[in-house]
Amino acid sequence: MKILITGSAGFIGYHLAQSLLLDNNIRVIGIDNINDYYDTKLKKSRLANLKNINFSFYQIDISDKFSLDALFADNDFDVVVNLAAQAGVRYSITHPEKYIESNILGFNNILEACRKNNIKNLVYASSSSVYGMNSIMPFSEDDEVNHPISLYAATKKSNELMAHTYSHLYDIPTTGLRFFTVYGPWGRPDMAYFSFTKSIIEGKPIKVFNNGNMMRDFTYIDDIVDGIKKVINDPAKPDAKWNSESPKPSSSLAPYRILNLGNNNPIPLNEFIKAIEEATEKDAIIEYLPMQPGDVEKTYANIDKMKHLYNFKPATSIRKGINNFVDWYTSYHG
């Protein structure tokens, strides 16, 4: 099997590639633009760990249609996993053009390449951010998600709509995975747990928004990778029970699925900080601040569909996951 992973120098893409390469029957092609949204040294360090006879890497931006088309023409991909995107809720408020370029134009290039090359399974990253102003918990894939509160979330919702169109018109199996606050070793420096750990170790204050009244469905990277691999091996299929008079957003008469990939166990932010304090053996200096634009107070994933379809069961406790991250962080940064 030959699999294309876009965003392979990124947090999730790196871990997915590393896991897939344990199978000698899988060939992984990775692409990434290695942009400077965060430290490129970290991205290059991830790639350095992926040295394997079955792994090839190309520095390609998915918004570069010519290079992407050439890559697809030169390879006979069985599966495409699109994890390339401009990430970050707050960054989307100040740099909206980056999200249109990568998350809309880039994703359209992926869809077109899949159409032209008869790809049999497209798996792509959506986000829990699409739930926006929704307040009914836990978030279900069959909830309407028409009120995003950041451009990042709006682009991810757009990806789901674009994917359905291609599934319907061209019979391309597509599965959108709504990730819930992914954390773990080799994670993104712009994520709160990363900056919290750095500041706590260095004895600096940490900024805690909404006066600490936040809950997140923190999901460990190994559980995320497990879920993605299950979907790679079982493409979306038409839903024979789908009813156009009462349409479920999560499926279709086309080979299309939307699935939550979370821990199904929201953790108060203060409890999460306590786990970091225990792992680092240092107390946090906390600066409480109001809610930031684009943020949501709570995320909580209903993962019944993943359980039913793939027997998906997150296995990593918050303390084990944080201990693993802190061990990696102290090792990587000396």
Side-chain angles (χ1 to χ4, degrees):
M1 179 184 290
K2 184 181 283 190
I3 299 175
L4 171 64
I5 300 177
T6 74
S8 59
F11 175 35
I12 300 176
Y14 159 70
H15 279 280
L16 177 62
Q18 191 176 56
S19 181
L20 289 171
L21 289 168
L22 295 174
D23 186 338
N24 292 328
N25 294 317
I26 294 178
R27 174 92 188 277
V28 176
I29 307 296
I31 65 172
D32 201 294
N33 64 0
I34 315 185
N35 67 27
D36 60 359
Y37 171 64
Y38 62 81
D39 187 8
T40 58
K41 291 180 181 178
L42 178 59
K43 298 179 181 182
K44 291 175 181 177
S45 294
R46 292 174 183 141
L47 287 174
N49 285 342
L50 292 176
K51 290 183 178 177
N52 185 298
I53 193 171
N54 287 328
F55 179 73
S56 299
F57 175 76
Y58 302 91
Q59 187 167 344
I60 295 174
D61 192 316
I62 60 170
S63 65
D64 179 355
K65 188 176 187 301
F66 178 81
S67 297
L68 193 67
D69 286 347
L71 179 76
F72 272 79
D74 290 341
N75 292 275
D76 187 17
F77 295 122
D78 297 293
V79 179
V80 173
V81 183
N82 183 56
L83 300 173
Q86 179 58 59
V89 168
R90 293 171 192 159
Y91 193 68
S92 71
I93 295 172
T94 55
H95 297 78
E97 70 284 350
K98 303 238 180 232
Y99 293 77
I100 300 301
E101 180 181 7
S102 181
N103 301 7
I104 301 297
L105 297 178
F107 189 62
N108 184 69
N109 290 340
I110 291 290
L111 289 170
E112 274 292 285
C114 289
R115 176 182 70 84
K116 294 174 184 175
N117 293 274
N118 299 312
I119 299 301
K120 302 305 181 187
N121 190 10
L122 169 61
V123 183
Y124 63 95
S126 185
S127 169
S128 62
S129 296
V130 302
Y131 289 103
M133 294 177 71
N134 290 22
S135 59
I136 297 176
M137 301 286 171
F139 294 143
S140 167
E141 300 95 333
D142 288 324
D143 295 337
E144 295 293 344
V145 286
N146 296 323
H147 298 88
I149 58 174
S150 70
L151 184 64
Y152 170 70
T155 62
K156 288 299 184 179
K157 168 63 174 175
S158 299
N159 288 173
E160 296 176 0
L161 296 173
M162 295 162 71
H164 182 267
T165 303
Y166 275 71
S167 293
H168 170 71
L169 291 175
Y170 308 114
D171 205 35
I172 302 171
T174 67
T175 301
L177 299 176
R178 293 175 177 169
F179 297 137
F180 281 71
T181 318
V182 189
Y183 76 101
W186 296 97
R188 281 172 32 206
D190 63 314
M191 297 294 285
Y193 71 92
F194 199 113
S195 60
F196 285 175
T197 300
K198 181 178 187 295
S199 295
I200 290 171
I201 288 174
E202 295 175 357
K204 297 178 180 178
I206 63 173
K207 295 181 179 181
V208 178
F209 296 102
N210 199 34
N211 299 307
N213 298 314
M214 307 277 272
M215 296 184 76
R216 289 289 181 270
D217 202 356
F218 294 101
T219 314
Y220 190 65
I221 185 61
D222 289 0
D223 294 322
I224 290 289
V225 167
D226 176 56
I228 297 172
K229 289 171 66 177
K230 290 178 184 298
V231 176
I232 284 174
N233 292 318
D234 185 12
K237 300 174 182 64
D239 181 358
K241 296 181 180 179
W242 193 84
N243 183 354
S244 62
E245 295 181 356
S246 180
K248 289 185 177 180
S250 64
S251 65
S252 174
L253 292 177
Y256 168 87
R257 281 182 190 151
I258 298 295
L259 297 168
N260 285 340
L261 207 49
N263 197 42
N264 191 229
N265 182 32
I267 301 293
L269 191 55
N270 288 329
E271 183 178 333
F272 191 72
I273 293 169
K274 184 178 180 181
I276 299 175
E277 289 178 317
E278 292 174 355
T280 59
E281 299 182 346
K282 291 192 176 186
D283 292 333
I285 304 168
I286 300 176
E287 178 185 356
Y288 288 108
L289 295 169
M291 179 77 90
Q292 289 285 96
D295 273 355
V296 295
E297 185 173 323
K298 181 179 180 180
T299 64
Y300 181 6
N302 179 326
I303 58 171
D304 288 350
K305 292 184 187 298
M306 280 296 300
K307 287 180 180 178
H308 173 71
L309 291 169
Y310 301 109
N311 195 31
F312 173 73
K313 296 178 182 178
T316 310
S317 70
I318 198 71
R319 276 169 173 73
K320 180 181 178 182
I322 285 297
N323 283 339
N324 291 347
F325 171 75
V326 171
D327 286 347
W328 167 81
Y329 181 92
T330 54
S331 174
Y332 181 78
H333 289 283

